[in-house]
Amino acid sequence: MKHALQLVLLTLTLSLAPRAWAHDDHVHDHASDHAPAHGGVVVEHMHFDWELVAKPERIVLHARELGKPFSTAGASGKLTLLSGKHKSEAPLKPAGDNRLEAVGPFKIGPGTKVVATVTLAGRPPANVRFTLR
């Protein structure tokens, strides 16, 4: 009887454990969970949705925290672009309520990798990685 009770408790504990850890292991489907508001590519990083809108002449990075625009006043950052064998960097500067902007020209296209290193006022630096479609 004692072993049966232990077996029941062990089974119950193990069946509930994945639910307790689900948040840490949860993988978002960014295409459906975090829809782009400006037609760009969205990546979630540390409670922020970062949306990168890339054009050859200008790249804009929008910041949202928990779905709401987050001020980029006092922010700084840098973009690193990798397109084939070509690598370039550009500074990011605040450009409005929740935007950072880099001015080109840029060599971009489908498959271009972009790493945004951003420091928002009062926040630790964030490294956010994008792949353009």
Side-chain angles (χ1 to χ4, degrees):
M1 182 71 174
K2 182 178 177 182
H3 293 290
L5 180 58
Q6 288 176 340
L7 183 60
V8 168
L9 288 175
L10 179 63
T11 303
L12 182 60
T13 301
L14 291 176
S15 69
L16 294 177
R19 292 181 187 153
W21 294 321
H23 185 268
D24 292 338
D25 296 332
H26 182 71
V27 176
H28 286 279
D29 173 8
H30 294 293
S32 63
D33 289 350
H34 304 279
H38 305 282
V41 177
V42 177
V43 172
E44 182 188 17
H45 180 70
M46 298 188 60
H47 303 290
F48 278 86
D49 283 345
W50 298 95
E51 182 177 359
L52 186 81
V53 180
K55 297 185 178 173
E57 68 281 354
R58 182 178 315 273
I59 296 177
V60 179
L61 184 63
H62 299 268
R64 292 188 309 261
E65 183 179 36
L66 302 173
K68 296 180 182 175
F70 188 85
S71 174
T72 57
S76 62
K78 173 180 82 167
L79 291 178
T80 302
L81 291 90
L82 302 167
S83 183
K85 294 181 181 180
H86 183 75
K87 177 182 175 182
S88 61
E89 294 185 346
L92 278 170
K93 297 182 180 177
D97 295 338
N98 70 320
R99 295 186 331 253
L100 294 161
E101 187 174 270
V103 178
F106 300 106
K107 184 177 181 177
I108 60 170
T112 299
K113 310 267 189 231
V114 180
V115 178
T117 303
V118 181
T119 302
L120 296 171
R123 304 285 177 131
N127 287 309
V128 188
R129 300 175 190 281
F130 300 88
T131 300
L132 301 183
R133 295 183 219 143

